[in-house]
Amino acid sequence: MTNRRSFIKQSTALSALSLLPSSFLYESLFQNGYKMQALRNNVGIFSERGGTIGWMISDDGLVVVDSQFPPQAEHMVQEIRKQSDRKIDLLVNTHHHGDHSAGNIAFKGIVEKVMAHENSLKNQKANAERANSVDKQLFPDTTYKKGKFSEKVGKEKVSLHYFGAAHTDGDSFVHFENANIVHCGDLVFNRRAPFVDKSAGANMENWQRVMERGYKAFDKDTLFVFGHSGSGYEVTGTRDDLRAFQNYLAKVMEFVKKGAAAGKTKEELAAATEIPGAPEWKGRQTRPVNAAWTELFDEK
């Protein structure tokens, strides 16, 4: 019976991957069990399968940032219920990918408001329609278009910042201002080769500018939460990690440009396991290299 339950849970999570491009998130995604970790000021993170979930649990407000897959979101709800039976005030999606938003459905009827950038909503609806899974979604009901959008929850102020196309065309930094914690979603892959969703408006050149704007918008005391991290690295860090990722993106673009000028093919470059000038991002570089090639040569 235990094995059957495990199979059903894994199958549910895998079906949610249909909301993602088929090449994404098969490696290093699944873990056993889950972890709740407090950070500061009633804000913390939840890790199990998919992109890191952020949370705020206090007497006067409940907030969740991203939702992984339905079984994991249910675990998150169970943890909240151990501390509070009030309705959840706010669910935020940093972007639309299934490992960050498929679990929204677990919050249906128990959350007051679901927020995201307007392009995140557009992309989530488009993916759900392609996958014929609209009935399995809880879509954002509140969106914003430019700059900064804030919501007061209890004593905390939660602000979403949009700096343009990056990982997709709808990524938000989510700032718990009093706690000074920023959830980056997949705007930062900490020492892990990123997925660059060109089908949803990703732009590697502008992604570098987004990292620069994020570095300047927050301060040296800000604690950052990342969507994913490489082996041996944490899903939390400082704004120096934004600069490091900005450098990595620039080095990928440089690597592809120089390689093409030297007569190498896209396939040859995509076989790289390390990018010169950014050695911490080890492992297959196929996804970012292919995206850089598309941006440099196919979209011109």
Side-chain angles (χ1 to χ4, degrees):
M1 180 64 73
T2 301
N3 288 340
R4 176 174 172 78
R5 283 197 298 268
S6 177
F7 173 77
I8 291 171
K9 287 183 177 181
Q10 189 174 43
S11 297
T12 302
L14 286 171
S15 68
L17 284 171
S18 64
L19 297 177
L20 299 168
S22 60
S23 63
F24 183 46
L25 276 180
Y26 277 94
E27 72 268 77
S28 303
L29 180 64
F30 298 103
Q31 307 168 33
N32 294 319
Y34 62 84
K35 180 181 178 181
M36 288 281 286
Q37 179 183 349
L39 297 176
R40 61 190 185 204
N41 287 46
N42 301 309
V43 176
I45 55 176
F46 172 99
S47 305
E48 187 175 6
R49 295 176 178 173
T52 310
I53 292 176
W55 51 260
M56 183 190 82
I57 303 174
S58 66
D59 292 339
D60 57 1
L62 301 174
V63 179
V64 177
V65 181
D66 287 343
S67 59
Q68 296 192 350
F69 300 103
Q72 287 66 55
E74 290 170 7
H75 292 157
M76 181 71 245
V77 171
Q78 290 169 14
E79 289 300 315
I80 291 173
R81 289 294 171 248
K82 290 177 182 178
Q83 301 184 54
S84 176
D85 60 1
R86 60 175 289 151
K87 198 164 188 178
I88 296 165
D89 298 273
L90 182 63
L91 171 63
V92 180
N93 289 142
T94 60
H95 65 295
H96 73 289
H97 286 149
D99 67 312
H100 293 258
S101 68
N104 284 10
I105 193 67
F107 294 87
K108 187 174 183 178
I110 63 171
V111 65
E112 293 282 359
K113 184 179 293 188
V114 185
M115 287 172 47
H117 187 269
E118 65 176 19
N119 289 341
S120 179
L121 173 60
K122 172 200 69 177
N123 293 330
Q124 188 180 344
K125 284 183 174 179
N127 275 5
E129 287 166 2
R130 282 194 294 269
N132 195 29
S133 62
V134 171
D135 60 331
K136 297 180 176 64
Q137 307 301 308
L138 177 62
F139 295 113
D141 52 57
T142 303
T143 63
Y144 74 112
K145 185 175 182 177
K146 296 180 180 179
K148 177 180 176 181
F149 184 85
S150 299
E151 186 81 10
K152 192 80 161 50
V153 180
K155 298 182 181 67
E156 184 59 86
K157 184 179 181 182
V158 182
S159 295
L160 282 65
H161 296 257
Y162 180 68
F163 297 139
H167 169 65
T168 72
D169 64 2
D171 303 281
S172 296
F173 283 110
V174 182
H175 190 195
F176 292 88
E177 294 195 8
N178 295 335
N180 199 12
I181 293 174
V182 172
H183 196 307
C184 302
D186 283 358
L187 283 168
V188 178
F189 284 67
N190 187 26
R191 279 67 178 182
R192 177 175 172 177
F195 172 50
V196 187
D197 193 351
K198 300 299 287 184
S199 70
N203 187 289
M204 290 186 69
E205 192 67 41
N206 197 64
W207 199 343
Q208 297 168 57
R209 290 190 283 271
V210 170
M211 291 296 95
E212 183 66 22
R213 292 186 67 180
Y215 183 90
K216 291 178 178 177
F218 309 111
D219 62 40
K220 62 182 179 61
D221 296 320
T222 305
L223 178 62
F224 291 85
V225 174
F226 312 127
H228 304 277
S229 62
S231 178
Y233 290 93
E234 300 295 328
V235 292
T236 57
T238 71
R239 66 176 184 166
D240 288 339
D241 295 306
L242 274 66
R243 273 280 167 82
F245 188 59
Q246 178 186 21
N247 174 71
Y248 165 80
L249 294 170
K251 293 302 182 182
V252 172
M253 300 291 281
E254 180 182 315
F255 172 73
V256 173
K257 191 179 296 184
K258 287 183 176 179
K264 291 189 177 181
T265 66
K266 179 173 72 171
E267 290 72 24
E268 288 173 325
L269 294 171
T273 56
E274 186 176 304
I275 300 299
E280 293 173 302
W281 276 262
K282 298 184 185 301
R284 291 187 303 161
Q285 303 295 322
T286 306
R287 297 183 306 203
V289 165
N290 284 343
W293 183 284
T294 297
E295 199 164 308
L296 287 167
F297 306 117
D298 297 340
E299 294 179 345
K300 297 299 185 184

PDB file of all heavy atoms in Angstrom, residues 19 96 119-134 139 199:
ATOM      1  N   LEU A  19       2.919  20.716 -17.833  1.00  0.00           N
ATOM      2  CA  LEU A  19       2.798  22.165 -17.920  1.00  0.00           C
ATOM      3  C   LEU A  19       4.128  22.817 -18.266  1.00  0.00           C
ATOM      4  O   LEU A  19       4.199  24.010 -18.497  1.00  0.00           O
ATOM      5  CB  LEU A  19       2.301  22.724 -16.578  1.00  0.00           C
ATOM      6  CG  LEU A  19       0.915  22.261 -16.154  1.00  0.00           C
ATOM      7  CD1 LEU A  19       0.595  22.832 -14.784  1.00  0.00           C
ATOM      8  CD2 LEU A  19      -0.133  22.670 -17.162  1.00  0.00           C
ATOM      9  N   HIS A  96       5.039  30.978 -14.023  1.00  0.00           N
ATOM     10  CA  HIS A  96       3.978  30.019 -14.327  1.00  0.00           C
ATOM     11  C   HIS A  96       4.377  28.554 -14.337  1.00  0.00           C
ATOM     12  O   HIS A  96       3.490  27.691 -14.361  1.00  0.00           O
ATOM     13  CB  HIS A  96       3.396  30.341 -15.703  1.00  0.00           C
ATOM     14  CG  HIS A  96       4.306  29.990 -16.851  1.00  0.00           C
ATOM     15  ND1 HIS A  96       5.455  30.702 -17.127  1.00  0.00           N
ATOM     16  CD2 HIS A  96       4.247  28.998 -17.781  1.00  0.00           C
ATOM     17  CE1 HIS A  96       6.051  30.185 -18.182  1.00  0.00           C
ATOM     18  NE2 HIS A  96       5.354  29.147 -18.603  1.00  0.00           N
ATOM     19  N   ASN A 119       1.886  38.422 -17.260  1.00  0.00           N
ATOM     20  CA  ASN A 119       2.420  37.454 -18.221  1.00  0.00           C
ATOM     21  C   ASN A 119       2.514  36.056 -17.637  1.00  0.00           C
ATOM     22  O   ASN A 119       2.414  35.058 -18.360  1.00  0.00           O
ATOM     23  CB  ASN A 119       3.795  37.902 -18.721  1.00  0.00           C
ATOM     24  CG  ASN A 119       3.722  39.103 -19.635  1.00  0.00           C
ATOM     25  OD1 ASN A 119       2.658  39.403 -20.186  1.00  0.00           O
ATOM     26  ND2 ASN A 119       4.833  39.795 -19.804  1.00  0.00           N
ATOM     27  N   SER A 120       2.709  35.977 -16.324  1.00  0.00           N
ATOM     28  CA  SER A 120       2.700  34.680 -15.664  1.00  0.00           C
ATOM     29  C   SER A 120       1.325  34.031 -15.796  1.00  0.00           C
ATOM     30  O   SER A 120       1.212  32.833 -16.096  1.00  0.00           O
ATOM     31  CB  SER A 120       3.074  34.839 -14.181  1.00  0.00           C
ATOM     32  OG  SER A 120       3.044  33.599 -13.508  1.00  0.00           O
ATOM     33  N   LEU A 121       0.277  34.819 -15.586  1.00  0.00           N
ATOM     34  CA  LEU A 121      -1.085  34.306 -15.762  1.00  0.00           C
ATOM     35  C   LEU A 121      -1.317  33.881 -17.209  1.00  0.00           C
ATOM     36  O   LEU A 121      -1.854  32.804 -17.474  1.00  0.00           O
ATOM     37  CB  LEU A 121      -2.099  35.369 -15.357  1.00  0.00           C
ATOM     38  CG  LEU A 121      -3.576  35.050 -15.645  1.00  0.00           C
ATOM     39  CD1 LEU A 121      -4.020  33.786 -14.925  1.00  0.00           C
ATOM     40  CD2 LEU A 121      -4.460  36.233 -15.254  1.00  0.00           C
ATOM     41  N   LYS A 122      -0.914  34.711 -18.152  1.00  0.00           N
ATOM     42  CA  LYS A 122      -1.060  34.391 -19.581  1.00  0.00           C
ATOM     43  C   LYS A 122      -0.384  33.060 -19.908  1.00  0.00           C
ATOM     44  O   LYS A 122      -0.972  32.196 -20.571  1.00  0.00           O
ATOM     45  CB  LYS A 122      -0.436  35.512 -20.420  1.00  0.00           C
ATOM     46  CG  LYS A 122      -0.334  35.241 -21.913  1.00  0.00           C
ATOM     47  CD  LYS A 122       0.708  36.144 -22.578  1.00  0.00           C
ATOM     48  CE  LYS A 122       2.117  35.776 -22.151  1.00  0.00           C
ATOM     49  NZ  LYS A 122       3.177  36.570 -22.826  1.00  0.00           N
ATOM     50  N   ASN A 123       0.841  32.884 -19.431  1.00  0.00           N
ATOM     51  CA  ASN A 123       1.598  31.668 -19.724  1.00  0.00           C
ATOM     52  C   ASN A 123       1.004  30.441 -19.048  1.00  0.00           C
ATOM     53  O   ASN A 123       0.969  29.347 -19.635  1.00  0.00           O
ATOM     54  CB  ASN A 123       3.052  31.844 -19.278  1.00  0.00           C
ATOM     55  CG  ASN A 123       3.799  32.884 -20.085  1.00  0.00           C
ATOM     56  OD1 ASN A 123       3.507  33.099 -21.256  1.00  0.00           O
ATOM     57  ND2 ASN A 123       4.767  33.548 -19.457  1.00  0.00           N
ATOM     58  N   GLN A 124       0.530  30.607 -17.820  1.00  0.00           N
ATOM     59  CA  GLN A 124      -0.076  29.478 -17.108  1.00  0.00           C
ATOM     60  C   GLN A 124      -1.332  29.015 -17.821  1.00  0.00           C
ATOM     61  O   GLN A 124      -1.568  27.814 -17.981  1.00  0.00           O
ATOM     62  CB  GLN A 124      -0.389  29.862 -15.657  1.00  0.00           C
ATOM     63  CG  GLN A 124      -0.841  28.679 -14.809  1.00  0.00           C
ATOM     64  CD  GLN A 124      -1.142  29.059 -13.375  1.00  0.00           C
ATOM     65  OE1 GLN A 124      -0.756  30.131 -12.914  1.00  0.00           O
ATOM     66  NE2 GLN A 124      -1.834  28.195 -12.667  1.00  0.00           N
ATOM     67  N   LYS A 125      -2.148  29.957 -18.259  1.00  0.00           N
ATOM     68  CA  LYS A 125      -3.370  29.593 -18.996  1.00  0.00           C
ATOM     69  C   LYS A 125      -3.036  28.898 -20.306  1.00  0.00           C
ATOM     70  O   LYS A 125      -3.659  27.888 -20.665  1.00  0.00           O
ATOM     71  CB  LYS A 125      -4.216  30.842 -19.258  1.00  0.00           C
ATOM     72  CG  LYS A 125      -4.973  31.348 -18.042  1.00  0.00           C
ATOM     73  CD  LYS A 125      -5.851  32.544 -18.409  1.00  0.00           C
ATOM     74  CE  LYS A 125      -6.734  32.956 -17.230  1.00  0.00           C
ATOM     75  NZ  LYS A 125      -7.569  34.129 -17.553  1.00  0.00           N
ATOM     76  N   ALA A 126      -2.043  29.418 -21.027  1.00  0.00           N
ATOM     77  CA  ALA A 126      -1.661  28.824 -22.315  1.00  0.00           C
ATOM     78  C   ALA A 126      -1.155  27.401 -22.136  1.00  0.00           C
ATOM     79  O   ALA A 126      -1.530  26.495 -22.896  1.00  0.00           O
ATOM     80  CB  ALA A 126      -0.606  29.688 -22.987  1.00  0.00           C
ATOM     81  N   ASN A 127      -0.306  27.176 -21.127  1.00  0.00           N
ATOM     82  CA  ASN A 127       0.203  25.825 -20.878  1.00  0.00           C
ATOM     83  C   ASN A 127      -0.903  24.872 -20.474  1.00  0.00           C
ATOM     84  O   ASN A 127      -0.943  23.717 -20.898  1.00  0.00           O
ATOM     85  CB  ASN A 127       1.274  25.864 -19.789  1.00  0.00           C
ATOM     86  CG  ASN A 127       2.654  26.183 -20.330  1.00  0.00           C
ATOM     87  OD1 ASN A 127       2.817  26.470 -21.511  1.00  0.00           O
ATOM     88  ND2 ASN A 127       3.648  26.155 -19.462  1.00  0.00           N
ATOM     89  N   ALA A 128      -1.817  25.350 -19.630  1.00  0.00           N
ATOM     90  CA  ALA A 128      -2.918  24.503 -19.170  1.00  0.00           C
ATOM     91  C   ALA A 128      -3.837  24.132 -20.324  1.00  0.00           C
ATOM     92  O   ALA A 128      -4.329  22.995 -20.414  1.00  0.00           O
ATOM     93  CB  ALA A 128      -3.699  25.205 -18.071  1.00  0.00           C
ATOM     94  N   GLU A 129      -4.081  25.072 -21.219  1.00  0.00           N
ATOM     95  CA  GLU A 129      -4.933  24.779 -22.374  1.00  0.00           C
ATOM     96  C   GLU A 129      -4.268  23.763 -23.292  1.00  0.00           C
ATOM     97  O   GLU A 129      -4.923  22.839 -23.798  1.00  0.00           O
ATOM     98  CB  GLU A 129      -5.245  26.077 -23.128  1.00  0.00           C
ATOM     99  CG  GLU A 129      -6.233  26.968 -22.371  1.00  0.00           C
ATOM    100  CD  GLU A 129      -6.290  28.393 -22.911  1.00  0.00           C
ATOM    101  OE1 GLU A 129      -5.572  28.689 -23.907  1.00  0.00           O
ATOM    102  OE2 GLU A 129      -7.035  29.206 -22.331  1.00  0.00           O
ATOM    103  N   ARG A 130      -2.946  23.894 -23.499  1.00  0.00           N
ATOM    104  CA  ARG A 130      -2.226  22.927 -24.329  1.00  0.00           C
ATOM    105  C   ARG A 130      -2.245  21.539 -23.704  1.00  0.00           C
ATOM    106  O   ARG A 130      -2.316  20.522 -24.414  1.00  0.00           O
ATOM    107  CB  ARG A 130      -0.776  23.381 -24.532  1.00  0.00           C
ATOM    108  CG  ARG A 130      -0.606  24.482 -25.553  1.00  0.00           C
ATOM    109  CD  ARG A 130       0.852  24.649 -25.950  1.00  0.00           C
ATOM    110  NE  ARG A 130       1.669  25.124 -24.853  1.00  0.00           N
ATOM    111  CZ  ARG A 130       1.907  26.411 -24.603  1.00  0.00           C
ATOM    112  NH1 ARG A 130       1.394  27.349 -25.387  1.00  0.00           N
ATOM    113  NH2 ARG A 130       2.673  26.766 -23.589  1.00  0.00           N
ATOM    114  N   ALA A 131      -2.159  21.490 -22.379  1.00  0.00           N
ATOM    115  CA  ALA A 131      -2.133  20.208 -21.670  1.00  0.00           C
ATOM    116  C   ALA A 131      -3.525  19.687 -21.329  1.00  0.00           C
ATOM    117  O   ALA A 131      -3.653  18.627 -20.717  1.00  0.00           O
ATOM    118  CB  ALA A 131      -1.313  20.345 -20.389  1.00  0.00           C
ATOM    119  N   ASN A 132      -4.561  20.437 -21.707  1.00  0.00           N
ATOM    120  CA  ASN A 132      -5.945  20.069 -21.393  1.00  0.00           C
ATOM    121  C   ASN A 132      -6.112  19.847 -19.885  1.00  0.00           C
ATOM    122  O   ASN A 132      -6.742  18.883 -19.442  1.00  0.00           O
ATOM    123  CB  ASN A 132      -6.355  18.806 -22.165  1.00  0.00           C
ATOM    124  CG  ASN A 132      -7.864  18.589 -22.161  1.00  0.00           C
ATOM    125  OD1 ASN A 132      -8.641  19.547 -22.080  1.00  0.00           O
ATOM    126  ND2 ASN A 132      -8.284  17.343 -22.236  1.00  0.00           N
ATOM    127  N   SER A 133      -5.554  20.784 -19.095  1.00  0.00           N
ATOM    128  CA  SER A 133      -5.588  20.630 -17.636  1.00  0.00           C
ATOM    129  C   SER A 133      -6.098  21.900 -16.944  1.00  0.00           C
ATOM    130  O   SER A 133      -5.747  22.154 -15.798  1.00  0.00           O
ATOM    131  CB  SER A 133      -4.188  20.280 -17.114  1.00  0.00           C
ATOM    132  OG  SER A 133      -3.275  21.329 -17.394  1.00  0.00           O
ATOM    133  N   VAL A 134      -6.927  22.660 -17.643  1.00  0.00           N
ATOM    134  CA  VAL A 134      -7.449  23.902 -17.060  1.00  0.00           C
ATOM    135  C   VAL A 134      -8.187  23.623 -15.756  1.00  0.00           C
ATOM    136  O   VAL A 134      -8.109  24.398 -14.795  1.00  0.00           O
ATOM    137  CB  VAL A 134      -8.363  24.630 -18.073  1.00  0.00           C
ATOM    138  CG1 VAL A 134      -9.081  25.808 -17.412  1.00  0.00           C
ATOM    139  CG2 VAL A 134      -7.546  25.113 -19.264  1.00  0.00           C
ATOM    140  N   PHE A 139      -5.806  29.673 -11.018  1.00  0.00           N
ATOM    141  CA  PHE A 139      -5.092  30.761 -11.661  1.00  0.00           C
ATOM    142  C   PHE A 139      -5.023  31.995 -10.752  1.00  0.00           C
ATOM    143  O   PHE A 139      -5.917  32.208  -9.926  1.00  0.00           O
ATOM    144  CB  PHE A 139      -5.783  31.150 -12.975  1.00  0.00           C
ATOM    145  CG  PHE A 139      -5.758  30.086 -14.031  1.00  0.00           C
ATOM    146  CD1 PHE A 139      -6.936  29.468 -14.432  1.00  0.00           C
ATOM    147  CD2 PHE A 139      -4.564  29.706 -14.627  1.00  0.00           C
ATOM    148  CE1 PHE A 139      -6.927  28.492 -15.416  1.00  0.00           C
ATOM    149  CE2 PHE A 139      -4.545  28.725 -15.617  1.00  0.00           C
ATOM    150  CZ  PHE A 139      -5.728  28.114 -16.012  1.00  0.00           C
ATOM    151  N   SER A 199      10.063  29.774 -25.220  1.00  0.00           N
ATOM    152  CA  SER A 199       8.664  29.690 -25.636  1.00  0.00           C
ATOM    153  C   SER A 199       7.765  30.619 -24.833  1.00  0.00           C
ATOM    154  O   SER A 199       6.641  30.918 -25.236  1.00  0.00           O
ATOM    155  CB  SER A 199       8.151  28.254 -25.511  1.00  0.00           C
ATOM    156  OG  SER A 199       8.022  27.879 -24.145  1.00  0.00           O
TER     157      SER A 199
END
